[in-house]
Structures are given as structure tokens and as C-alpha cells.
Amino acid sequence: MISKKEYAGRRKDLMSMMADNSIAVIAAAPEKVRSKDTLYPYKQSTNFSYLSGFSEPCAVMLLIPNRQQGECVLFCRDKDPLRETWDGLRLGPIEAKRALALDDAFPIDDIDDILPGLLEGKSHIYYSAGKDKAFDKQLIQWVDEVTLDKESDSEPCCEQVDLDHLLAELRLIKSAAEIKLMRKAADISAEAHCRAMRFCQPGQYEYQLQAEIEHQFMTSGATGPAYTSIVGGGKNACILHYIENQSALKSGDLVLIDAGCEYQNYAADITRTFPINGKFSTAQAAIYDVVLAAQKAAINCISPGVTYDQANKATIEVITQGLVELGILTGDVDQLIAEGAYREFYMHSVSHWLGMDVHDVGDYKINNQWRVYEAGMLLTIEPGIYIAADNQNVDKKWRGIAVRIEDDILVTKAGREVLTDGVPKQRDQIESLMA
Ligand code: GLY
Ligand code: MN
Ligand code: MN
């Protein structure tokens, strides 16, 4: 759990990065209609969650550094017994102020009367535009109200500054409490992959493996998947973000599962690829071993002070070398790397940040230079080889084979820690788990 104190510290850290005489406006994510009067399950904006832990829609938080009457102000839905009977309990402003350790909280219905006054005279507004068009428009109206008001003698307001970038820098380095939650998300997800491996039989459908995985997530206390689970049998796994999950699983094919749970707002992201009948064929084993070697080479690169691109380079080298040894590519390895010949088979990069969002926030480059790893960063390592079923340039035995192996890695002072090693990835270990 993230403590009230940690949330307050995050708000303080953000305010310390803001200009003098400024205000940050953070809006809750809008609700989204699924059909007619039913909504998608509500997902709070991760920035809003990061700063407050507050999970209700229809809320706006203001951070106003050095404001005498209080720096942290929330607008949220008022208590309403009738609506609460239908839609669920609301915290309400009075309780929200106490529970979230804020300085002030008001009903959201009063925002038109209160917020423009708080914008008045501010030189900078920190805001993430483009996520909710209606709120973008509303904010412009409030700003116009205070800047175009001829009666007002306040300084004109105000330059808009991107808030996302500041928050991304804070979110990139995980605290001890965050790492604990991500460890739990990783453990649950690893156990779910083991369950799918034990359950898998030819003749089942991809969605049945999805159900096993997601069952394990939710019986373990996770909210659900952190992203739509990918379960691709055979050539379906050549589609990188395949989410239909409707096909039958055939003996002799591999299945690729890319699935991770969300636990208390933090994501895991694991991929394993295994034989549907429990035994790798010779061709599948050959491709698998190249991907596994590439993944291990990349993981071994990670430690503080190393740049972000090193792991990617390591996978490109191992995969290109491996494809040459298998006769899938021909030519000089260095030349093939320079030409990007591997891209036909390995068309994504090896890693992304992981945190509250599965593709988490944080710049990968600073001043056009690859970022240097620091302790507390968390990332995936996920190389793959995907050989299209209709690729006429390779021997038939390789066609339709797709393998990705993905783990979640914490950068530590001493180097790295793999959080997701609760699920096997050595071929013999997978085969014995499935037996
Ligand atoms: N699960 C999506 C990804 O691995 O990036
Ligand atoms: Mn990933
Ligand atoms: Mn993934």
C-alpha cells in the first residue's frame, strides 16, 4: 500500500519542480460509455492516482505551491444517498480532505465558482492537455474568464506548461513501497503463467488459457489484467499485439502468452512461449534458444550507469548471429546488423519502462542521448523472433514459428533483479512443469 505520507511527499516533490506563482490542474479520467447506459469499468488517470490514490471519476486536484490557505485542493463528487445506492459509495469532500491528507476539498459542482479565482494572477498553469477534450475546453474557459475580465487588474494569466513531463520524471524512479507492489504484481503474474502452462492441452481454445491466467490474477487479489491479455497459438503469435484469443490450440504449435496483472495500480508484463503439447519440436527449440540467449544477454547488460540502448544492441547481436547459424539469414553478421536484416524477424525494440502504466512514463533519451539506468528504474526485457507463415524466403520448417520471452527487471545498486523469475523459461523446466 502507498501511505498517505508518500502521496503527500509526491505532491511536495512535484510542487518543488514548479515555477514560482504557478498552479497545477490535474483532472480525473473521464468515464467512458461502453454501450447505451453501461460504462467501461472505471480506470483513474495514472497521474491522478499517483498524486492522490483517489479512484473516483468527476474530480479535479489543484496544487498551488506556497498558497497560505493550503496547497492541495480537491474537487470531488458530493455525497448523494440516491446515486450511491445505484452506483457505489462516494468519499465526499469532507471525508476526502481527511482521508487523503489534503488542505481543502469542495463539491465538484462548485468548481465553476471557485477554480477561476484560484487561477487568477498565476503566471504558469501546469496541465496535461489532450486527454479529455471537454475538460481542455473547460479549462480554457476558466482561464479566459480571469484573463479577459476587464474589471480585473490582476496580471494576465498565464503560460501553460506540460505537467506530464514533470510527473514522468518522478514516476520513473520507484520507491520502496512501489517496488513492493510491483514485486507482488510480478509474483501473481508469474504464478498465473505457471497455471496456464499446467492447464494447456491441444484442442483447447486461446480464450481458455486467457481465462486461467485472469482467474489466477483475480483470486490473488489483483484488479485484473494490466492490459488485454495476448494468447496466440501458432502463427497468431506473429501478430505482436494479438488480442482476439478465439482460435483452437493445435498439437505441434507453440502458444505465446503475453499477460500481466495490475495490483494496487501497478502493472506486471510477462511473456512466455511454450509448446501446446508439452514438447518443443527441433525447429521450435532452435528458435526458442536464440531468443532465450538474446534475453539473457540483454538482462546481463542492465546495471546503473549503463545506457538504455545497450540491452537492445545485445539482443540484435545474439538474434542476428543465431539466425545466421540457423541459415535463416545469410551473410556477414556485422553487415546484416548494419543493414537491419533482423528486422524482418525482430521488428520491435527490447524494452520499455514499467510502472503504473504497462508502457510507463519516462524519457528514453535526454538531449538526444540514450538515458543512463539508475537504481529504482523498472523495465521489461522482451526480445522475440517472428517468422511469418507465408515467408517464402525461409525453409518451410521455420514458417509460422513465433517466440517472445519477457521479464520485468528492477535496476538495483548492485545491478539488477528479475522480478518475474517465478515462471520458468528454460525449455526443460517448461516441459517438466507441463508434464
Ligand atoms: N504487453 C505489451 C508489451 O509487452 O509491451
Ligand atoms: Mn512489454
Ligand atoms: Mn508484454
Side-chain angles (χ1 to χ4, degrees):
M1 216 181 81
I2 305 294
S3 67
K4 266 199 252 189
K5 197 168 154 218
E6 183 159 339
Y7 285 117
R10 293 171 178 182
R11 295 191 291 267
K12 273 278 177 219
D13 288 344
L14 177 60
M15 285 190 277
S16 74
M17 298 162 90
M18 291 165 56
D20 289 343
N21 191 33
S22 65
I23 182 168
V25 179
I26 305 112
E31 293 177 294
K32 292 207 174 76
V33 174
R34 184 173 184 275
S35 80
K36 269 182 102 256
D37 58 350
T38 59
L39 302 177
Y40 283 106
Y42 184 67
K43 171 76 181 140
Q44 183 59 281
S45 123
T46 41
N47 280 341
F48 203 102
S49 287
Y50 180 79
L51 292 169
S52 67
F54 190 56
S55 57
E56 292 183 26
C58 305
V60 176
M61 186 160 53
L62 306 178
L63 298 179
I64 317 168
N66 304 315
R67 178 173 173 262
Q68 294 282 302
Q69 307 91 311
E71 297 179 311
C72 306
V73 179
L74 180 76
F75 294 88
C76 65
R77 298 177 305 185
D78 224 340
K79 298 291 287 175
D80 178 339
L82 178 65
R83 288 305 344 145
E84 289 180 63
T85 300
W86 283 87
D87 304 329
L89 297 180
R90 300 173 174 189
L91 203 53
I94 295 168
E95 181 55 16
K97 178 179 163 180
R98 189 198 64 76
L100 307 175
L102 302 168
D103 298 310
D104 254 331
F106 303 102
I108 189 78
D109 290 341
D110 295 347
I111 196 166
D112 268 332
D113 298 329
I114 299 172
L115 190 138
L118 296 170
L119 293 178
E120 212 163 312
K122 292 283 176 277
S123 55
H124 296 82
I125 297 186
Y126 290 79
Y127 177 65
S128 309
K131 303 215 163 75
D132 177 353
K133 284 207 174 87
F135 193 82
D136 290 352
K137 225 169 120 187
Q138 176 66 75
L139 184 62
I140 291 168
Q141 276 174 12
W142 286 325
V143 172
D144 284 351
E145 220 174 281
V146 289
T147 51
L148 303 178
D149 182 0
K150 301 282 181 288
E151 312 270 308
S152 162
D153 54 5
S154 58
E155 285 298 305
C157 175
C158 70
E159 192 183 331
Q160 196 168 305
V161 188
D162 179 37
L163 177 66
D164 283 353
H165 191 255
L166 299 187
L167 279 167
E169 287 303 299
L170 292 175
R171 284 174 52 185
L172 184 55
I173 308 287
K174 272 67 182 175
S175 70
E178 289 182 294
I179 290 167
K180 199 167 163 197
L181 296 177
M182 293 196 67
R183 215 181 272 290
K184 178 80 177 171
D187 287 347
I188 293 171
S189 304
E191 188 48 43
H193 277 261
C194 292
R195 182 185 177 108
M197 284 180 190
R198 283 193 291 261
F199 176 84
C200 184
Q201 295 283 342
Q204 287 165 342
Y205 284 80
E206 292 164 344
Y207 54 78
Q208 289 178 282
L209 292 191
Q210 178 181 2
E212 288 301 309
I213 289 259
E214 294 178 11
H215 172 92
Q216 188 68 33
F217 289 170
M218 298 193 71
T219 52
S220 308
T223 331
Y227 52 93
T228 307
S229 303
I230 295 167
V231 183
K235 68 179 169 50
N236 289 343
C238 291
I239 301 167
L240 300 178
H241 287 167
Y242 172 83
I243 53 171
E244 288 163 38
N245 303 352
Q246 294 299 309
S247 299
L249 297 167
K250 293 205 290 275
S251 183
D253 279 351
L254 296 172
V255 60
L256 180 155
I257 302 183
D258 182 343
C261 75
E262 184 173 293
Y263 183 79
Q264 294 190 20
N265 288 321
Y266 287 83
D269 184 6
I270 302 180
T271 307
R272 288 292 184 267
T273 310
F274 54 92
I276 290 162
N277 63 15
K279 282 271 173 211
F280 285 90
S281 73
T282 310
Q284 290 164 351
I287 300 293
Y288 189 91
D289 288 350
V290 175
V291 178
L292 186 58
Q295 205 228 14
K296 287 181 176 173
I299 291 172
N300 287 336
C301 285
I302 294 171
S303 70
V306 172
T307 55
Y308 184 87
D309 60 325
Q310 291 303 308
N312 203 38
K313 281 195 183 138
T315 57
I316 290 168
E317 279 164 19
V318 175
I319 285 176
T320 306
Q321 174 81 41
L323 292 174
V324 168
E325 280 165 15
L326 297 176
I328 294 172
L329 286 176
T330 42
D332 172 67
V333 171
D334 291 338
Q335 180 71 24
L336 290 166
I337 290 173
E339 289 165 3
Y342 57 87
R343 282 201 204 102
E344 184 181 357
F345 306 103
Y346 176 31
M347 59 293 279
H348 56 79
S349 72
V350 72
S351 174
H352 55 80
W353 305 127
L354 182 69
M356 298 182 85
D357 288 300
V358 65
H359 296 160
D360 208 34
V361 293
D363 290 339
Y364 292 94
K365 285 186 169 179
I366 294 175
N367 297 329
N368 224 22
Q369 301 292 315
W370 287 107
R371 186 155 206 150
V372 174
Y373 292 130
E374 294 169 48
M377 291 176 169
L378 230 146
L379 58 136
T380 66
I381 289 290
E382 50 178 308
I385 294 178
Y386 313 86
I387 306 175
D390 60 357
N391 189 330
Q392 305 298 319
N393 301 326
V394 302
D395 192 285
K396 272 205 185 81
K397 68 180 175 192
W398 306 118
R399 292 181 201 164
I401 296 179
V403 174
R404 179 165 66 251
I405 305 171
E406 175 174 28
D407 282 299
D408 302 344
I409 322 292
L410 171 68
V411 185
T412 64
K413 281 201 188 106
R416 74 210 74 86
E417 184 189 336
V418 180
L419 299 187
T420 43
D421 56 8
V423 51
K425 59 186 175 187
Q426 293 297 131
R427 278 193 291 112
D428 57 344
Q429 289 171 344
I430 292 175
E431 287 180 351
S432 56
L433 182 65
M434 293 183 76

